């Protein structure tokens, strides 16, 4: 998976709790073949997204796993997810060639 793919798939990551969860899951191990310094930055930024993701999914599950959860996602998690995604993408821009 390339930096371009990550940037493209990030465009829909904030559409809802499951879009964000999918993006976080897909990007977890992508830096494992890179230099240690980049891996550390990448995993630190990724972990911040995972924290938001975990909290949102736990809250969704606690609410009974409803089909419609967009309002709660937008009110409680979307802004923080946007911040962590932005920080993650700043690291991704440094992707070693």
């Amino acid at each position: 998976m390339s930096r371009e793919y990550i940037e493209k798939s990030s465009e829909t990551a904030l559409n809802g709790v499951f879009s964000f969860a999918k993006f976080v899951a897909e990007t977890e191990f992508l830096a494992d073949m890179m230099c240690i310094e980049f891996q550390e930055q990448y995993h630190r930024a990724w972990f911040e997204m995972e924290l938001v993701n975990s909290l949102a999914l736990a809250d969704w599950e606690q609410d009974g796993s409803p089909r419609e959860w967009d309002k709660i996602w937008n009110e409680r998690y979307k802004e923080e997810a946007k911040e962590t995604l932005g920080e993650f993408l700043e690291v991704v821009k440094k992707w070693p060639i």
Side-chain angles (χ1 to χ4, degrees):
M1 195 175 297
S2 66
R3 180 183 76 197
E4 291 79 18
Y5 178 84
I6 292 171
E7 290 171 343
K8 182 69 176 165
S9 62
S10 74
E11 294 173 4
T12 59
L14 299 173
N15 287 352
V17 67
F18 299 114
S19 297
F20 193 67
K22 179 181 177 197
F23 179 79
V24 172
E26 286 182 342
T27 57
E28 182 173 5
F29 299 108
L30 299 182
D32 286 355
M33 302 302 266
M34 302 295 177
C35 67
I36 296 296
E37 181 181 329
F38 182 74
Q39 283 183 31
E40 289 172 355
Q41 293 175 24
Y42 184 95
H43 288 295
R44 196 172 17 255
W46 178 88
F47 185 72
E48 294 299 319
M49 288 193 309
E50 175 59 12
L51 288 174
V52 175
N53 181 48
S54 296
L55 291 170
L57 288 173
D59 202 8
W60 169 78
E61 191 173 86
Q62 187 174 3
D63 284 351
S65 307
R67 285 185 172 201
E68 294 298 322
W69 206 68
D70 292 341
K71 182 178 178 187
I72 295 170
W73 164 257
N74 290 330
E75 290 173 355
R76 295 185 195 168
Y77 296 102
K78 187 173 184 175
E79 191 58 38
E80 192 170 0
K82 182 178 178 181
E83 289 175 24
T84 61
L85 177 62
E87 292 167 7
F88 177 75
L89 291 175
E90 285 300 314
V91 171
V92 169
K93 287 180 184 177
K94 301 173 191 173
W95 192 279
I97 296 174

